[in-house]
Amino acid sequence: MESEPERSAIRIIAENRRGVLRDIATVVADHDANIVMINQEVFDSGPYCGMAELYFEYDCGDASDHEKLLEDLNDIPSVKEVKAYQPFGNIFGSRVIIIGGGAQVAQVALGAVNEADRHNIRGERISVDTIPLVGERTLALAVDAVARLPRASILVLAGSLMGGDISKAVDRVRDAGIPVIALKMAGTVPEHADLVVTDPIQAGVFAVMHVSTKAVFDINRVRGREF
């Protein structure tokens, strides 16, 4: 039986110019590594101001090849620094995303953080991300973006009134394989969510329990229910 490839991460500081990403990707491919996540941005302050940061995670079956990969990346003329790190999945783990009104978001986060603490102290890695927002379009854009967030495992919508474009965005997030919990609220969002919960603290607890690999709660077994 074949073993799972080892997940590794690398952070590269390089010149901000055309062709750098191509050169780096070519070296990675030459080492038979498969890039599974990548992020690139330009520093606008600090000692690397004006330079580019490239962070990517990759799978590579041969662990002994990692050092040679680092050496070859350092040999690229435009690359200034290369460092290996643990992937974010090992550090921050799965992500619970909470979006909605400030007061409700805070209460959902209270339940989620307290429940995540119980699991993380036993070796799991579950992180909680929140953003309080108002306005249908703003919320719809944020909900749609959840499907593009690395390691996003579940979404909780916390508010008093959500519908219209937000409901359509909820459908797209669910189609991407990310379950959605909604607080009991006015609007059509509860009709599109996997689970509706009246108590915001309990909603946060449910979200973390679903993400956990050790909890017995499974949202798929109560889909369509209201608590």
Side-chain angles (χ1 to χ4, degrees):
M1 184 176 180
E2 293 186 3
S3 60
E4 289 291 324
E6 180 182 350
R7 180 67 53 85
S8 302
I10 289 178
R11 178 185 187 239
I12 298 172
I13 308 299
E15 296 175 5
N16 179 29
R17 62 176 181 79
R18 288 180 295 175
V20 173
L21 183 59
R22 175 204 58 206
D23 297 340
I24 291 171
T26 299
V27 171
V28 174
D30 288 344
H31 285 263
D32 293 325
N34 180 42
I35 297 176
V36 296
M37 192 274 278
I38 190 168
N39 180 71
Q40 185 174 357
E41 60 183 326
V42 177
F43 292 99
D44 56 11
S45 62
Y48 298 120
C49 185
M51 301 193 72
E53 176 192 43
L54 178 71
Y55 171 86
F56 64 87
E57 296 182 4
Y58 64 98
D59 289 336
C60 187
D62 187 0
S64 63
D65 194 42
H66 294 320
E67 290 301 323
K68 186 62 169 65
L69 172 58
L70 297 177
E71 292 176 7
D72 289 348
L73 288 171
N74 265 312
D75 287 339
I76 299 174
S78 56
V79 169
K80 304 304 178 185
E81 179 181 290
V82 180
K83 286 187 178 180
Y85 293 92
Q86 287 192 53
F88 283 134
N90 293 359
I91 302 170
F92 294 112
S94 301
R95 300 170 71 182
V96 175
I97 312 297
I98 307 169
I99 298 175
Q104 293 95 333
V105 164
Q107 290 300 300
V108 175
L110 178 63
V113 169
N114 278 308
E115 182 68 16
D117 184 63
R118 292 199 314 112
H119 293 278
N120 291 346
I121 203 170
R122 293 173 174 84
E124 290 195 81
R125 287 292 181 270
I126 301 171
S127 54
V128 180
D129 296 80
T130 67
I131 179 168
L133 294 169
V134 294
E136 181 181 339
R137 175 159 176 78
T138 303
L139 282 163
L141 288 171
V143 171
D144 261 326
V146 171
R148 305 194 299 272
L149 288 175
R151 307 180 331 279
S153 300
I154 193 166
L155 168 65
V156 184
L157 288 174
S160 301
L161 171 62
M162 292 187 188
D165 288 340
I166 305 171
S167 297
K168 297 175 184 177
V170 167
D171 290 337
R172 290 189 287 270
V173 169
R174 293 180 62 202
D175 289 342
I178 300 173
V180 178
I181 295 176
L183 297 187
K184 190 171 183 178
M185 66 178 80
T188 58
V189 157
E191 301 170 14
H192 293 254
D194 293 285
L195 185 66
V196 179
V197 183
T198 302
D199 180 10
I201 294 178
Q202 188 62 49
V205 172
F206 275 151
V208 172
M209 289 177 66
H210 175 75
V211 169
S212 169
T213 58
K214 299 179 181 179
V216 296
F217 178 76
D218 184 353
I219 201 172
N220 297 305
R221 300 180 63 180
V222 294
R223 180 171 277 116
R225 298 274 300 277
E226 182 177 312
F227 292 94

